[in-house]
Amino acid sequence: MPVARPEPQEPRVIAHLDLDCFYVQVEQRRNPALRGQPTAVVQYNDWKGGGLIAVSYEARKFGVKRSMRGDEAKHVCPGINLVQVPVAREKADLNIYRSAGSEVVAILSTKGKCERASIDEVYLDLTDAAKERLLESPPESSEIIFEEATKSNILDLSSDVSNREENVRAWLCRADADYQDKLLACGAIIVAQLRIKVLEETQFTCSAGIAHNKMLAKLVSGMHKPAQQTVVPSSSVQDFLASLPVKKMKQLGGKLGSSLQDDLGVKTVGDLLTFTEEKLQDYYGVNTGTWLWKTARGISGEEVEDRILPKSHGCGKTFPGSKALKNNASVKSWLDKLCEELSERIQSDLNSNKRVAQTLTLHARACKENECNLMKKFPSKSCPLRYGTGKIQEDAMKLFESALHDFWGSRNTGWSITSLSVTASKIFDDTSGTNSILRYISPSSSASSAVPGSSSTPELTPFLDKKLPMTPIHEEHCEPSSKNEDCGNSNLAKQCCGIEEKGVPNKSSKVKGTGSILKFLSQSQSALPEKRKIDGLTCGHQGQESSSGANKAEQHGRSAEAVDRSNINTAGVHSAGNKWMFNVEDIDPAVVGELPLEIQREIQGWTRPSKQASTKPRGHTISSYFPPARS
Ligand code: TTP
Ligand code: CA
Ligand code: CA
C-alpha cells in the first residue's frame, strides 16, 4: 500500500525521462538502414512471427501495437522490419539494451541526483541545478533560450500551434512568475539540453516530464512522445488531475484503484477531492488514506534516490501454449539456464560495483490441467541468496518445488508452468566487502544448500518457513500480465510483482572499511570441494541471536560495528539457524593463494589451530568478524 512521505519545504524540480521505443532505437543504431522505417523488435519465439516488444513510431502510425505478433504486424504494415532480440541460452539476451540504457544514465547523472527507474527510465532531481541557473542566467534576462526548450509542452498553455514556440518562450522567460515556476522554467531548459546531449552522444531520443515531484513528472513524461518534453506548472496540477483516470496512477492500477472505483465511485484522481483525509483514512488506513488525500492534490514527498544501478536483477521466460512446462525435469532445465544468467549478472555486479544481492525469489505462472483459461495464482517464494551458479540453481529448484506443493499438493502431474523467473534483490553496496567471504564459503550446518532438506516438498516447506528467519519467505502472487516470451531484465518481476520497486537497497547497510577481499574470492563456490567436517578445523560464527547484541560481541572480542557488519552481510547464512559454521576445508586453496599475505596468514591460522592467532591484534581483518568456533 502506498505511503505518503513528508513533503520537502522547498520547491523541487524533478524530471522523469523515458527513451522512445527503446529497443527499436538500439536496433536502429546497430543498423542505421532501419532509421525512419517502420520497425519492431520481436521476442525469441517463432510462433506467429514472435511477440512484439518494441514498436517504432513509424510503425505505430500503421496501427502496429506491442500486443501484436509479427504476423499480425506484417498484416497491418507490410513494410515493417522485424528485428529479433539477441538470443543467448535459448532466451532473449538483453545485455545490449541494458548497456545502452547505462550510456544514457551516465549522461543524465551529471546534472543532479539520478535514479535509474527501469531499463529505459530515469528520475533526476534538478533542484540544485535549476537554482544555480536561476541565479546565474535567469531565463527572463537571457537573450537566447535554448531552442529545444521552446518546443516544450507546458500544461497551462493553450496548444495554439500558430505561435506555440513564442508562447512557450514567453512562459519560460516570465519576469512575474513565482519562484516555483521560475525554477521549473530553468528545469525545462536543463532537461532540453540534456535530451539533446543524449541524442548527440548516443543517437537516442527520449521524452521527459518536468514537475515539482516525481509523481507528476512521471505522469506527464509519456504525454507527448516521441522526443518531446512536458512541464507541469503548479497552477495546472488541479485541472490535470481532475480528469486523470485513477488507474493511470502507478499505485492505483491494482486492487486499490479498483476499490476506489467500485466502493467509492472514484473514477478520476480529481474525484478524490470530495473525500476528507479522515474519510479516506477510515476506508484505507492512516497511511494510505493520507497518501490518497495528498495525491488528489498533486502532493508527493517521494525523493529521487541516488541510484544509477538497477535495484534487482531478474531473468525470466514465458512458455505459452504448447510450450508450457509440464514436469520437474523441464522446469529444472529452464531454471538452470535462468539461474546461470542470473548468477553471471550478480557476479558481474559484484565484481564491477561491489554490490551484493541478498534475496533470491522465484516467480512463476501456472495453470492446472483442463483449466488453462483460469490462471491460478502460483505463490512466489524467496530465500537467502547464495553466490555460485550451482547453488542458485539448487535453491531455485527447491523454491519451485515448495511453491508447486502449495499450488498443487503432492501430486506430480496435471500442472503446467507458463512462465518462470528468478530475481536477485535486496542489493546493497559492499564498499568494504571484508566479510563477504561468507558468500564464497558454504555454511557447514547444511550440506551445501541454503534451502536444505530432501527434495520432497513437505519436508522442505517447514524448513523454509521456520529456519530462515532473517529473510522470511514472502509469498506474492503473479498476476498474468505480459504476453512476452522472455522477460529479461526484471520485466517479468516488475510486471508481475513489482519486486524491482520494492527491493530498495538499505542505505543503512552501506558499510565502510578497509580494502575488499571480494576480488580475491570471486571464484564460484561450485568449484569448491565436498564438505568434510574435521574437528578443530571449523571456523564458526554465532548466528542471529548471539551476534545481535554488542555485549555478546564484546565477549567474542569483536566490536559492535563488526557485529553489525556480519549481520548485514551474512543474512543468508545466519538464516540457516541460530548457529552456523563453515568449514575451512571449503576454502579453495587456489583462491587463498591470491589473497593478501595478511589474510592468507589468518586463514592458515584457522587451518593450524595450534598456531591460532590468539595474540593477533583484532582489527579490520576477516578474523575480527569470524572468530574460530568455540566448542
Ligand atoms: P517502454 O518504455 O514501456 O516502451 P518503449 O520504450 O518501447 O516505447 P515508448 O516510446 O512508448 O516508451 O519499454 C522500454 C523497453 O522495454 C521496450 O523498448 C522493450 C522493453 N519491454 C519489454 O520487453 N516488454 C514489455 O512488456 C514492455 C512494456 C517493454
Ligand atoms: Ca520507453
Ligand atoms: Ca519505459
Side-chain angles (χ1 to χ4, degrees), residues 313 346 355-359 385 387 424-428 439:
H313 299 286
I346 59 175
R355 298 203 315 157
V356 180
Q358 297 182 91
T359 301
L385 191 151
Y387 276 62
S425 62
K426 303 233 168 70
I427 301 178
F428 69 90
R439 299 198 155 265

Side-chain angles (χ1 to χ4, degrees), residues 155 215-216 219-220 223 232 236-244:
L155 280 195
M215 173 180 82
L216 294 168
L219 280 172
V220 300
M223 196 180 240
V232 191
S236 67
V237 173
Q238 202 165 325
D239 279 355
F240 168 59
L241 293 178
S243 56
L244 187 79

